[in-house]
Amino acid sequence: MEKTWYLKRINIFQGMSDKEMKQLNDITHMKHYDKKSLIYLPGDASDQVYLLKEGRVKISKLSEDGREITLVILEPGEIFGESAIVDDDETRSSVAEALENAYLCIISRKDFEEFINNKPGLALSITKLMGFRRRQIETMLEDLVFRGVHERLALLLLRLADRHGKAVGDKKLIDISLTHYDYANLIGSTRETTTACLNDFKREDLIEFQKRKVVILSERGLKKRAKYED
Amino acid sequence: MEKTWYLKRINIFQGMSDKEMKQLNDITHMKHYDKKSLIYLPGDASDQVYLLKEGRVKISKLSEDGREITLVILEPGEIFGESAIVDDDETRSSVAEALENAYLCIISRKDFEEFINNKPGLALSITKLMGFRRRQIETMLEDLVFRGVHERLALLLLRLADRHGKAVGDKKLIDISLTHYDYANLIGSTRETTTACLNDFKREDLIEFQKRKVVILSERGLKKRAKYED
DNA sequence: TGTTCTATGTAACTACACTTACATTTTTCG
DNA sequence: CGAAAAATGTAAGTGTAGTTACATAGAACA
């Protein structure tokens, strides 16, 4: 897949000295979130930055009538809510929800701003992170306009496999439990059509299910379905 | 409209000293682009940053089969191509095209990086710019998923009026000459449906045309059509 | 000024995916 | 364990917007 999707994470804090890590630790506090609990909602004050230590977190946008589009699913080690330090806007425009039991390090916007002050390397990392995420959203936008649901779903599965996958023999397990509803929100479609597409792929022996998880049986076949060439 | 769209531009260089401006000027060279000429294409080396002095520039993504989705239309004073300094990727993923005769200041990636080094304020501005643009793309994405073409077009016209508009009496002139094809690409639709929608709005006396330009007759009516409430 | 190219208007047809509506299965939790 | 809730399967019907196909109007340029 493209580099953008292949990189599992951008670790903002890599290459920091022990002293700096200690300093970071001091301004941080850890908090546990149950599975399915909300970390923030649209309209909430944008005054904290989060570092995901354990578990997975889903970032989505909501429509007035309760529909949802998911922008990204975050892995441990990733930072989020970073728009707090970048946007002038005071409130969140998306929802963050724990997909699994999760532990987060929470840093107040103010402390974080002070912390990155005079750490130009870190500031650059943040800038790169912003750029990286922008690029991902741009790709979602392109896909939405240029591709149909089968194509989008095939692409999604390939990307999820890169980001959250494990090789198991010659197969590849997407190691997150997602409902069809979740898949639908990741490709901007509905639960029903997504169910149908998933079953199409199953019938074509491109994927199979293990519990609530997808196993990719034929990466090549999926790529063909996604009209994606290496 | 929301703050995000209301801000006409983010001027990266505001508040810079004369000395810094001089310094910036030294690493810059000016170039003219004819209307309809391309500034860069997907695949081009991402080794320059551009400052738009005069004219307007359109940034779009292309599909394999030649379709196009426009991300933004830039006004004089705005910077673009900034992913050069932020992305690790070496090549452009979008097209930049001059919509009008344009003058650009061109800065090499290397010079620009050196220039912002030790100007933490400027680095922050760039980060904010990235965040700002990301937010805009996110809004486009939301609209694409949650709204139909009439709604998207109405929203587009309102936003264009904010960004590129002039009050003329109680009317508002969107002071750019765009073809229906351009409007279509801005809302992720086709030329034909966009023509039809524009004519619907005309028939409803929400807009009128002056040459190739749109005049908004009833902002309220358009907002209603966009299901947008102040 | 005439010719060519680009842009716009319109309409019939089509299709993809959304809606609606349940049945069935699986999971959760008291 | 059993009841309730959540998730999945499926199919018929519908609708919005895309496609195709021209006709006309307007701009550009020689």
Side-chain angles (χ1 to χ4, degrees):
Chain A
M1 310 269 355
E2 315 98 280
K3 201 176 176 186
T4 318
W5 296 95
Y6 182 70
L7 292 164
K8 287 206 164 183
R9 69 190 66 160
I10 296 193
N11 195 332
I12 288 291
F13 301 108
Q14 78 187 112
M16 254 173 35
S17 71
D18 288 351
K19 184 169 156 259
E20 286 171 329
M21 277 311 242
K22 170 83 175 49
Q23 203 181 336
L24 179 65
N25 197 57
D26 287 345
I27 56 171
T28 264
H29 75 272
M30 188 91 115
K31 192 168 166 192
H32 177 263
Y33 286 84
D34 287 332
K35 185 173 173 174
K36 292 188 184 178
S37 65
L38 300 176
I39 298 150
Y40 57 73
L41 271 166
D44 282 3
S46 222
D47 53 4
Q48 297 183 322
V49 177
Y50 305 85
L51 176 63
L52 180 55
K53 291 302 238 185
E54 217 183 295
R56 288 188 176 104
V57 166
K58 178 181 83 171
I59 310 288
S60 312
K61 299 255 172 188
L62 300 179
S63 73
E64 286 115 62
D65 56 340
R67 280 178 299 161
E68 183 178 343
I69 169 96
T70 300
L71 301 179
V72 67
I73 291 173
L74 298 164
E75 289 282 309
E78 295 192 284
I79 198 173
F80 68 99
E82 78 285 356
S83 65
I85 41 150
V86 135
D87 259 320
D88 293 317
D89 205 356
E90 314 285 290
T91 61
R92 315 237 78 125
S93 62
S94 41
V95 217
E97 181 190 328
L99 282 182
E100 306 162 358
N101 288 322
Y103 283 96
L104 302 187
C105 280
I106 303 183
I107 314 162
S108 83
R109 172 200 191 131
K110 202 174 122 282
D111 287 345
F112 195 73
E113 268 171 356
E114 266 168 38
F115 181 70
I116 53 174
N117 247 3
N118 304 313
K119 293 195 185 59
L122 190 57
L124 182 64
S125 294
I126 304 265
T127 309
K128 288 200 178 199
L129 177 71
M130 299 296 299
F132 177 78
R133 293 201 170 151
R134 181 175 116 193
R135 189 88 93 110
Q136 291 200 165
I137 310 266
E138 281 180 5
T139 305
M140 284 186 78
L141 190 82
E142 269 186 87
D143 291 344
L144 223 37
V145 175
F146 296 145
R147 318 175 105 108
V149 288
H150 279 85
E151 236 173 303
R152 299 210 298 279
L153 182 59
L155 272 176
L156 175 72
L157 294 176
L158 291 166
R159 287 169 185 159
L160 288 178
D162 275 335
R163 249 181 89 78
H164 315 280
K166 275 186 189 168
V168 177
D170 56 338
K171 302 170 182 175
K172 217 167 182 183
L173 171 71
I174 297 177
D175 201 16
I176 328 180
S177 292
L178 296 174
T179 66
H180 293 184
Y181 182 76
D182 292 324
Y183 285 110
N185 291 337
L186 282 160
I187 60 170
S189 177
T190 59
R191 204 274 308 162
E192 293 84 345
T193 41
T194 303
T195 297
C197 288
L198 283 169
N199 288 329
D200 288 343
F201 291 169
K202 199 162 68 182
R203 244 171 273 122
E204 295 167 33
D205 291 315
L206 303 177
I207 61 172
E208 69 182 19
F209 286 89
Q210 272 175 25
K211 306 216 163 204
R212 188 76 34 91
K213 292 174 183 171
V214 170
V215 181
I216 296 184
L217 301 178
S218 166
E219 201 168 322
R220 292 211 59 223
L222 265 190
K223 283 186 178 171
K224 199 173 251 173
R225 219 68 169 66
K227 289 172 195 155
Y228 174 82
E229 301 305 329
D230 262 314
Chain B
M1 310 271 353
E2 315 99 282
K3 203 174 175 187
T4 319
W5 297 95
Y6 182 70
L7 291 165
K8 287 206 163 183
R9 70 190 66 160
I10 295 193
N11 195 333
I12 288 291
F13 302 108
Q14 76 187 108
M16 253 172 36
S17 70
D18 287 351
K19 182 168 156 261
E20 286 171 329
M21 277 311 244
K22 171 82 175 53
Q23 204 182 335
L24 179 65
N25 197 58
D26 287 345
I27 56 170
T28 263
H29 76 274
M30 188 90 114
K31 192 167 165 191
H32 177 263
Y33 286 84
D34 287 333
K35 184 174 172 171
K36 291 188 187 180
S37 65
L38 300 176
I39 298 151
Y40 57 72
L41 272 165
D44 281 4
S46 223
D47 54 3
Q48 297 183 323
V49 177
Y50 304 86
L51 177 62
L52 180 54
K53 291 303 241 186
E54 218 184 294
R56 289 190 176 102
V57 166
K58 178 182 82 174
I59 310 289
S60 312
K61 299 255 172 189
L62 301 179
S63 73
E64 285 115 60
D65 56 340
R67 280 178 298 161
E68 184 179 342
I69 168 95
T70 300
L71 302 179
V72 66
I73 292 174
L74 299 163
E75 289 282 307
E78 295 191 283
I79 199 173
F80 68 98
E82 78 285 355
S83 65
I85 41 151
V86 136
D87 260 321
D88 293 317
D89 204 356
E90 315 285 289
T91 60
R92 316 237 78 126
S93 61
S94 42
V95 217
E97 180 191 329
L99 282 182
E100 306 162 357
N101 289 321
Y103 283 95
L104 302 187
C105 281
I106 302 182
I107 314 163
S108 83
R109 172 199 191 133
K110 203 173 121 281
D111 287 346
F112 195 74
E113 268 171 356
E114 267 168 37
F115 180 71
I116 52 174
N117 246 4
N118 304 313
K119 292 194 186 62
L122 190 57
L124 183 64
S125 295
I126 303 265
T127 308
K128 289 200 176 199
L129 176 71
M130 301 295 301
F132 178 77
R133 291 199 172 152
R134 181 175 117 194
R135 189 89 93 114
Q136 292 201 165
I137 310 267
E138 282 180 4
T139 306
M140 283 187 78
L141 190 81
E142 270 186 86
D143 291 344
L144 223 37
V145 175
F146 297 144
R147 317 175 106 106
V149 289
H150 279 85
E151 235 174 304
R152 298 211 297 279
L153 183 59
L155 272 176
L156 174 71
L157 294 177
L158 290 166
R159 286 169 185 161
L160 288 178
D162 275 335
R163 249 181 89 78
H164 315 279
K166 275 185 190 169
V168 178
D170 55 339
K171 300 170 184 175
K172 216 165 183 184
L173 171 71
I174 298 177
D175 202 15
I176 329 181
S177 291
L178 296 174
T179 66
H180 293 183
Y181 182 76
D182 292 324
Y183 285 110
N185 291 337
L186 281 160
I187 59 170
S189 178
T190 59
R191 203 273 308 161
E192 292 85 344
T193 38
T194 304
T195 298
C197 287
L198 283 169
N199 288 329
D200 288 343
F201 291 168
K202 200 162 69 183
R203 244 170 273 122
E204 295 168 32
D205 291 315
L206 304 177
I207 60 172
E208 69 183 17
F209 286 90
Q210 273 175 25
K211 304 214 164 206
R212 188 75 35 90
K213 293 172 182 171
V214 170
V215 180
I216 296 185
L217 300 178
S218 165
E219 201 168 321
R220 291 210 61 223
L222 265 189
K223 283 185 179 173
K224 199 173 253 173
R225 219 70 168 66
K227 287 172 195 156
Y228 174 83
E229 302 305 328
D230 261 313

